[in-house]
Amino acid sequence: MAGNIIEVTNLEKRFGQNLVLKNITFNVQRSEKVVIIGPSGGGKSTLLRCLNRLEDDYQGIVKFNDQNIMLADAGKIRSIRQKIGMVFQQFNLFPNKTALENITFAPVKLKLLSQQRAIDRAHRLLSQVGLDNKANAYPQSLSGGQQQRVAIARSLAMNPSVLLFDEPTSALDPEMVGDVLAVMTDLADKGMTMIIVTHEMSFAQKVADKILFMDQGIIADQGDPHYIFHETKNPRTRAFLSKVMI
Amino acid sequence: MFSFLKHYYPVFVQGTAQTILISIIGILIGIILGLFFVTLRRSKVKLCQYIARVYIAIVRGTPSMIQVMLIYYGLSKVLDIPQIQFLGSGLDRMIPGSIALGINSGAYTAEIFRSGLISIPRGQTEAGLSLGLSDHTTLFSIVMPQAVRNILPALGNEFITLIKESSVLFYIGVQEVTAQALGVGGTLYNFIPPLLVAAIIYFVLTFSMSQVISLLERRLGTAYLKVNQEE
């Protein structure tokens, strides 16, 4: 299908003897928001990490803009990764660089932007996530929520066509979660294509076009938020939701 | 007690220069070998890992004096180095001697580098890769600068050890500061004063080295560490 930015077909991934992803097939369309939910250890993060080949050696096909990323050579995978932003649970900001330098580093290093234009863009992105006053702060002096917002700005600096979020709020104090989700909702409203692994169910309900419920390495259930939260008869989905929705 | 210095100070100056020179060469060779063997050690190829492990195990498990002698006698059999005198010693002794110091230091340096790389969380590499940076850029521009800061104290320690250990080159006839002190002691029939002078010289050298390292630590520490310490 022409509108698909990501196509995953029969994806299987093993860690040693352990089959952690089984026969995963799904597509993501441009501007679509796909939220992946499910119990811990169900393969959600591994699936996300296969999409930009942080996980290697899998069976099946992952395509980004019709290119099979498993077959991409080193140069090709780098240019694909530039277009697939990733936001991590532990933020992974560079601790020896300021918020601004974290954002400008990759675009300048990859010669996509001049130093000055990268700085201008970084300031714009920091304003967008509400942190322009923290441009010269080092990550250690920022709260978790602020670090995660800088990390989102860092991936946006590459002008990605899709953003992957790997439990972006799971490492945050509860009072920080709202700020990060607000930034993500704002991105969703602007039409960004997003694939989000999260345990924030009300956020999933509000933002998702499609929800994948993953359990024991398979997509056990999928549908729009209304289906997943109200209509599904799948016992595993219902059992999971009854535990996480209070 | 130290009046002999009036006559013998040029000997000590020469010995000190010799010690500094062989130490610098040893440190440089050690760094290069350290980088080389840490790359082997972290390689995905089992044979490379194995070679690095064997090298490190042998160097750490044998006395440096025997290493120096083996390398000196071994090299003099295969290489014909001219016996040009420099700072009181023949190049045919200095060159194998400094290479031996470097080979010895390389094993420790490789392990120090490895500990530095391990100390940086995997997430830093993943963040770099996910932005589309190459493995090489991620390693050298993101991981290494953080690792170097973490290993500076250990690296400083290794350099200081090497300066002191360079005295083993006395056994193959390199006229470094220990050898000179023993020589002077022999002529004076009194070893204590010249050995004290040598000890003071080593102390000044190693103390200066530790000052340079702590200066570097402060330079590389930058703002982000201070924040950490205040908390």
Side-chain angles (χ1 to χ4, degrees):
Chain A
M1 236 173 77
N4 286 340
I5 189 161
I6 287 177
E7 293 179 20
V8 178
T9 315
N10 295 329
L11 175 62
E12 290 206 343
K13 168 73 188 169
R14 284 171 196 280
F15 289 123
Q17 294 295 314
N18 205 355
L19 193 57
V20 289
L21 294 177
K22 292 168 220 168
N23 203 18
I24 303 279
T25 299
F26 72 101
N27 296 329
V28 181
Q29 292 178 9
R30 213 163 285 281
S31 281
E32 198 175 19
K33 285 74 174 138
V34 176
V35 173
I36 306 174
I37 62 171
S40 300
K44 306 185 297 294
S45 292
T46 308
L47 171 57
L48 211 56
R49 294 159 55 85
C50 286
L51 301 183
N52 66 351
R53 225 173 80 186
L54 280 185
E55 295 294 347
D56 231 321
D57 294 328
Y58 47 72
Q59 310 291 310
I61 299 171
V62 176
K63 281 187 178 173
F64 171 75
N65 278 339
D66 283 329
Q67 305 164 81
N68 184 333
I69 73 161
M70 199 60 203
L71 301 180
D73 61 21
K76 194 78 211 166
I77 191 67
R78 288 202 294 274
S79 64
I80 290 175
R81 279 176 181 154
Q82 290 172 25
K83 289 289 146 203
I84 306 181
M86 189 163 202
V87 176
F88 300 87
Q89 184 175 353
Q90 300 296 340
F91 334 129
N92 296 347
L93 290 179
F94 308 132
N96 51 345
K97 299 187 192 304
T98 63
L100 190 90
E101 290 163 354
N102 262 279
I103 300 171
T104 57
F105 179 75
V108 171
K109 197 84 189 171
L110 292 163
K111 300 193 167 64
L112 304 174
L113 291 177
S114 68
Q115 180 78 22
Q116 191 49 50
R117 297 196 56 176
I119 290 174
D120 293 345
R121 182 185 285 182
H123 279 299
R124 245 189 351 265
L125 289 168
L126 281 171
S127 314
Q128 188 183 333
V129 300
L131 289 172
D132 201 26
N133 57 335
K134 299 288 187 188
N136 295 317
Y138 284 90
Q140 307 272 13
S141 66
L142 300 173
S143 73
Q146 291 170 332
Q147 290 192 49
Q148 192 60 295
R149 284 185 281 156
V150 173
I152 293 173
R154 178 175 70 178
S155 21
L156 288 174
M158 301 302 296
N159 209 1
S161 35
V162 52
L163 272 184
L164 312 177
F165 291 87
D166 188 4
E167 302 201 29
T169 58
S170 297
L172 299 179
D173 292 334
E175 72 269 27
M176 307 287 177
V177 171
D179 290 339
V180 172
L181 292 183
V183 167
M184 291 170 64
T185 310
D186 179 49
L187 279 175
D189 291 344
K190 285 181 172 143
M192 175 61 77
T193 313
M194 298 159 79
I195 306 176
I196 306 160
V197 172
T198 186
H199 293 294
E200 298 291 331
M201 291 304 149
S202 52
F203 172 77
Q205 206 161 356
K206 193 170 64 178
V207 167
D209 297 312
K210 179 160 77 188
I211 296 181
L212 308 180
F213 172 70
M214 283 193 72
D215 190 16
Q216 293 169 19
I218 61 166
I219 299 179
D221 201 4
Q222 60 179 309
D224 61 29
H226 187 74
Y227 165 81
I228 290 287
F229 287 99
H230 302 292
E231 291 174 350
T232 184
K233 299 282 186 284
N234 186 312
R236 281 149 83 181
T237 315
R238 295 181 69 116
F240 172 74
L241 288 176
S242 72
K243 274 183 220 150
V244 293
M245 308 275 282
I246 315 151
Chain B
M1 183 178 176
F2 292 112
S3 56
F4 67 93
L5 279 178
K6 225 185 299 170
H7 299 290
Y8 289 105
Y9 79 88
V11 172
F12 282 98
V13 171
Q14 201 179 48
T16 308
Q18 184 76 255
T19 292
I20 292 174
L21 185 67
I22 55 180
S23 299
I24 290 174
I25 298 174
I27 286 172
L28 291 180
I29 294 176
I31 291 174
I32 293 165
L33 285 180
L35 283 174
F36 176 70
F37 280 101
V38 79
T39 315
L40 286 193
R41 183 76 169 75
R42 289 169 59 87
S43 148
K44 282 180 184 151
V45 184
K46 279 264 155 34
L47 180 69
C48 294
Q49 291 178 22
Y50 186 73
I51 292 170
R53 278 164 181 273
V54 167
Y55 162 70
I56 291 165
I58 290 176
V59 169
R60 283 204 298 203
T62 54
S64 49
M65 185 183 118
I66 292 181
Q67 291 167 14
V68 165
M69 289 187 160
L70 282 176
I71 288 166
Y72 169 62
Y73 291 118
L75 274 186
S76 65
K77 282 218 163 79
V78 282
L79 275 183
D80 191 25
I81 305 167
Q83 298 190 0
I84 299 166
Q85 295 290 310
F86 185 69
L87 293 172
S89 315
L91 285 184
D92 60 325
R93 292 164 195 276
M94 272 175 74
I95 291 173
S98 354
I99 291 175
L101 285 181
I103 289 176
N104 178 273
S105 178
Y108 296 96
T109 312
E111 284 295 88
I112 293 170
F113 286 150
R114 195 166 70 90
S115 73
L117 292 174
I118 292 172
S119 74
I120 306 305
R122 173 88 190 129
Q124 291 291 310
T125 305
E126 292 185 346
L129 293 180
S130 78
L131 290 165
L133 300 168
S134 65
D135 292 320
H136 186 268
T137 308
T138 304
L139 180 62
F140 285 92
S141 300
I142 293 173
V143 177
M144 284 283 211
Q146 297 179 51
V148 165
R149 200 206 68 238
N150 287 356
I151 62 172
L152 264 184
L155 215 48
N157 229 343
E158 171 54 26
F159 296 162
I160 285 171
T161 305
L162 187 140
I163 293 174
K164 294 184 294 177
E165 285 270 296
S166 70
S167 61
V168 300
L169 296 200
F170 155 73
Y171 291 106
I172 59 166
V174 175
Q175 294 298 311
E176 42 68 62
V177 85
T178 307
Q180 299 287 23
L182 290 171
V184 173
T187 9
L188 296 176
Y189 294 109
N190 185 2
F191 284 93
I192 292 175
L195 282 176
L196 279 176
V197 171
I200 291 166
I201 291 170
Y202 279 114
F203 180 78
V204 170
L205 291 181
T206 55
F207 189 74
S208 316
M209 174 59 91
S210 69
Q211 292 305 104
V212 170
I213 292 287
S214 34
L215 188 80
L216 271 177
E217 263 180 72
R218 257 173 280 143
R219 277 280 178 80
L220 290 174
T222 63
Y224 75 100
L225 255 195
K226 277 183 217 134
V227 173
N228 244 357
Q229 284 159 355
E230 279 160 18
E231 275 170 6

